[in-house]
Amino acid sequence: TLMNIPQAVWCLLPKDHPLAKQEALRLADCLMHPLILPESGDGVRELIDNAAIRKGLLCRAAVETNDPTVVEDLVSLNCGLAFVCEMEAKARTDKFTGDDHTSSSEGSSGVVAKPMLPGEVEHGFIFIGQARNRTLPVAVARFVEDLRALMDE
């Protein structure tokens, strides 16, 4: 394994949503609203589904999509809340503001990213591996270096 990156689950919501005023969110509060969720089998979806089951909550998607642009557009149009990994939440909002965010993020699209309260949803992991005795192609090696630098920021 070249890298093992823990990733918290964040919620994307419209900036004028009532939950957007909170610093961090409870899963039960999020599940009371329409949800834009990744398709079954996606890592974030599994984390959300498992957390809901553990808490005895019903988690039902209003929309299922794995397209991050569609997710962002639907959230900005106030069609529901979405869950993404921390890296995606920051990338979605940083592309608009250029800021470094620590606890919450907002972009000019009208989408706000908020972390879940500790213990609400388990963290996921991004693993990057390399086959033993194999040399990475130059482009892939550069990508891994860039990703390491990004994660060290």
Side-chain angles (χ1 to χ4, degrees), residues 90-104:
K90 291 179 178 181
R92 287 271 135 206
T93 53
D94 286 351
K95 75 177 187 177
F96 301 112
T97 63
D99 295 335
D100 178 31
H101 303 285
T102 53
S103 64
S104 67

Side-chain angles (χ1 to χ4, degrees), residues 106-121:
E106 179 182 341
S108 63
S109 69
V111 174
V112 176
K114 296 288 183 172
M116 302 303 292
L117 284 167
E120 287 293 304
V121 180

Side-chain angles (χ1 to χ4, degrees), residues 52-85:
I53 289 167
R54 265 194 331 275
K55 294 176 176 292
L57 301 170
L58 180 62
C59 180
R60 193 174 315 165
V63 176
E64 287 187 347
T65 181
N66 289 344
D67 185 326
T69 303
V70 171
V71 169
E72 185 180 313
D73 289 346
L74 290 172
V75 171
S76 70
L77 292 170
N78 207 13
C79 295
L81 310 182
F83 297 101
V84 296
C85 70

